[in-house]
């Protein structure tokens, strides 16, 4: 079964648009994470950014206390955020590259270039009982580095596939890269997640990518929720994951 992790960052984006700095306000990402779980989501993902533009520290501790599925904390490899992760103890951390000026996570980690530092962080998190995933582009060298680093999971960046979806030739090229990367990662013993830019429309072709454990989906699912409600949106995305051949 292909699992759905719901990224709730943009619920917090809406709250921060009105209540920034007030430590309160609606909508409440923690209560709505519970709605996602009740609708069948298999996990909840939140990205604690250095600039706290959406999720704030308190959300992380509240999510840890209240969600009953799997809590995936996305974060940059920086000392301040590592300390928070070690205190909050999510089930899994997904290490991502982070740049202040970007609107969303733009590319995968340079696991090759930052191998030593990522290995240290991975060990620290694992020693605290937290699994580690590395968000990487579908690039075989990055996957080999993730294996050397000791991560249990990689999350394949599907952003390029999503962006090129309307051009059949380019989209198929990206799909081939994802398929090759998933096979390679599985072959060297990594568990494979994927995410970024996934929508109801571009999800069906993702079924061609083998060995996937979980997809992390945020923006499009939360956008759809404005139209149909959050529980219905979660159910629609879950339906698109059904019958994944594995
Ligand atoms: N996975 C990772 C590692 C991400 O950084 C993001 C964006 O925060 C997502 C998944 C979800 O992407 P989207 O919001 O485009 O569905």
């Amino acid at each position: 079964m292909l699992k759905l992790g719901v990224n709730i960052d943009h619920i917090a984006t809406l709250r921060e648009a009105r209540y920034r700095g007030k430590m309160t306000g609606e909508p409440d990402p923690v209560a709505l994470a519970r709605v996602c779980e009740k609708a069948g989501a298999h996990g909840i993902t939140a990205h604690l950014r250095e600039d706290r533009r959406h999720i704030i520290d308190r959300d992380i501790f509240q999510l840890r206390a209240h969600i009953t599925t799997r809590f995936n904390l996305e974060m940059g490899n920086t000392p301040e955020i590592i300390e928070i992760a070690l205190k909050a103890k999510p089930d899994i951390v997904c290490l991502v590259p982070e740049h202040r000026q970007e609107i969303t996570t733009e590319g995968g980690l340079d696991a090759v270039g930052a191998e030593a530092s990522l290995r240290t962080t991975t060990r620290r998190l694992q020693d605290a009982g937290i699994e580690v995933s590395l968000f990487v582009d579908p690039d075989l060298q990055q996957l080999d580095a993730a294996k050397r680093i000791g991560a249990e999971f990689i999350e394949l960046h599907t952003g390029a596939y999503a962006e090129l979806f309307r051009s059949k030739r380019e989209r198929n090229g990206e799909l081939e890269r994802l398929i090759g990367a998933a096979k390679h990662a599985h072959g060297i013993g990594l568990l494979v997640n994927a995410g970024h830019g996934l929508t109801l429309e571009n999800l069906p072709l993702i079924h061609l990518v083998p060995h996937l454990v979980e997809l992390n989906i945020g923006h499009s699912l939360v956008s759809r929720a404005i139209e149909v409600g959050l529980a219905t949106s979660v159910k629609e995305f879950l339906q698109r994951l059904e019958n994944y051949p594995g």
Side-chain angles (χ1 to χ4, degrees), residues 17-164:
R18 174 60 64 96
Y19 294 100
R20 186 153 187 82
K22 296 219 163 60
M23 304 290 285
T24 180
E26 64 186 7
D28 175 7
V30 180
L32 291 168
R34 295 283 300 129
V35 170
C36 294
E37 289 185 316
K38 285 190 186 126
H42 303 98
I44 300 297
T45 295
H47 185 171
L48 184 66
R49 281 184 167 269
E50 191 192 3
D51 63 9
R52 312 302 200 268
R53 68 174 70 160
H54 38 53
I55 294 291
I56 58 175
D57 301 31
R58 200 189 47 155
D59 296 326
I60 295 299
F61 290 94
Q62 296 265 311
L63 285 166
R64 176 65 296 175
H66 294 289
I67 68 173
T68 57
T69 57
R70 194 164 149 82
F71 178 25
N72 173 29
L73 171 59
E74 272 178 27
M75 53 179 257
N77 181 21
T78 59
E80 184 209 6
I81 307 287
I82 293 167
E83 290 309 319
I84 294 169
L86 291 169
K87 278 195 203 115
K89 292 200 190 305
D91 298 292
I92 180 165
V93 157
C94 180
L95 293 169
V96 301
E98 201 177 295
H99 310 288
R100 269 189 175 254
Q101 303 306 325
E102 69 190 357
I103 291 173
T104 181
T105 316
E106 275 167 3
L109 279 172
D110 180 8
V112 177
E115 195 168 325
S117 152
L118 288 168
R119 187 182 302 120
T120 305
T121 302
T122 297
R123 289 242 176 92
R124 285 189 74 198
L125 293 166
Q126 289 170 337
D127 286 347
I130 303 166
E131 287 186 301
V132 175
S133 176
L134 303 181
F135 188 48
V136 289
D137 290 323
D139 173 317
L140 304 194
Q141 286 186 352
Q142 297 295 341
L143 302 174
D144 289 338
K147 182 66 185 171
R148 290 194 298 274
I149 286 164
E152 288 95 344
F153 282 84
I154 47 111
E155 179 169 331
L156 292 175
H157 196 318
T158 51
Y161 160 76
E163 245 175 63
L164 299 170

